[in-house]
């Protein structure tokens, strides 16, 4: 009998580090993406997954969607080759709305095996987004949701941050309503 496990792939690349972020990240370091992806693939094949079966695979970061569909599909292919994946496993891509608005790119990721997108919405208020260093707008959130649905993603989540500086209860309710 296989032991269930979850695989987390950290992708540290992002356009800009948000003021609240405590994760290891490499803003504006696109020059390191190919080497990092190659190192991740090597690490996956050096890991002994015998007796295990992954029931979740989560690409988090940073902004994993910033890697682009080609690199992400290759990384997911390496996960599939290195570790048995349970039938029905949830395979998540974390994405910022500004890098997830292309339905064709999202369709390619869906075909590669991703079945869930987690969008870093954080707030529905453009002023709040700007104050915490986010590079997207609420209009881009809406476009990203539409693109994800068009690409065939039924499993979609939107991350929100509660208690932002100056955020009152009515504004929080507005975020939830959005």
């Amino acid at each position: 009998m296989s032991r269930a496990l979850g695989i987390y792939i950290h992708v540290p690349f992002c356009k800009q580090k948000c003021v609240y972020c405590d994760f290891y990240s490499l803003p504006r370091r696109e020059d390191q993406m190919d080497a990092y992806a190659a190192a991740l693939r090597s690490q996956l094949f050096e890991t002994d997954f015998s007796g295990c079966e992954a029931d979740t695979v989560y690409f988090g970061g940073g902004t994993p969607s910033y890697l682009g569909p080609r690199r992400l599909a290759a990384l997911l292919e390496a996960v599939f080759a290195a570790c048995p994946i349970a039938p029905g496993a949830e395979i998540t891509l974390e994405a910022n709305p500004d890098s997830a608005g292309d339905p064709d790119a999202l369709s390619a990721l869906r075909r590669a095996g991703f079945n869930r997108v987690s969008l870093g919405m954080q707030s529905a208020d453009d002023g709040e987004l700007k104050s915490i260093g986010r590079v997207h707008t609420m209009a881009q959130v809406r476009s990203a949701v539409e693109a994800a649905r068009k690409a065939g993603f039924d499993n979609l989540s939107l991350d929100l941050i509660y208690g932002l500086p100056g955020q009152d209860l009515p504004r929080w309710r507005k975020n939830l309503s959005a």
Side-chain angles (χ1 to χ4, degrees):
M1 184 168 201
S2 297
R3 287 182 299 132
L5 79 116
I7 296 175
Y8 174 77
I9 306 285
H10 186 74
V11 179
F13 303 100
C14 54
K15 284 185 183 177
Q16 174 179 303
K17 186 148 180 108
C18 298
V19 298
Y20 60 85
C21 181
D22 284 332
F23 292 103
Y24 176 71
S25 63
L26 300 169
R28 298 171 302 282
R29 293 308 309 258
E30 296 85 353
D31 61 311
Q32 294 184 8
M33 287 180 175
D34 288 327
Y36 188 81
L40 278 175
R41 284 190 304 274
S42 294
Q43 184 67 44
L44 283 164
F45 290 116
E46 292 171 10
T47 302
D48 180 10
F49 289 107
S50 58
C52 297
E53 184 177 63
D55 58 5
T56 60
V57 179
Y58 192 94
F59 283 66
T63 308
S65 55
Y66 197 37
L67 276 181
R70 181 184 53 82
R71 288 185 194 97
L72 288 166
L75 284 171
L76 187 55
E77 182 179 314
V79 170
F80 290 151
C83 179
I85 306 296
E90 186 173 81
I91 303 171
T92 302
L93 174 67
E94 209 173 74
N96 279 349
D98 66 299
S99 62
D102 180 357
D104 293 334
L106 290 171
S107 290
L109 293 169
R110 181 86 173 106
R111 286 190 304 275
F114 288 95
N115 57 29
R116 178 173 177 259
V117 173
S118 177
L119 286 173
M121 176 178 164
Q122 314 317 0
S123 174
D125 183 278
D126 286 343
E128 283 183 342
L129 291 171
K130 186 174 182 176
S131 75
I132 60 174
R134 299 297 289 174
V135 295
H136 72 272
T137 64
M138 186 55 196
Q140 288 174 305
V141 172
R142 287 185 185 96
S143 293
V145 168
E146 184 178 311
R149 294 294 190 216
K150 185 175 181 181
F153 284 97
D154 296 323
N155 195 352
L156 180 64
S157 64
L158 301 173
D159 295 342
L160 291 171
I161 298 176
Y162 172 73
L164 291 171
Q167 186 182 67
D168 56 16
L169 189 56
R171 188 175 291 167
W172 173 243
R173 286 186 176 135
K174 180 182 172 192
N175 283 333
L176 289 175
S177 293

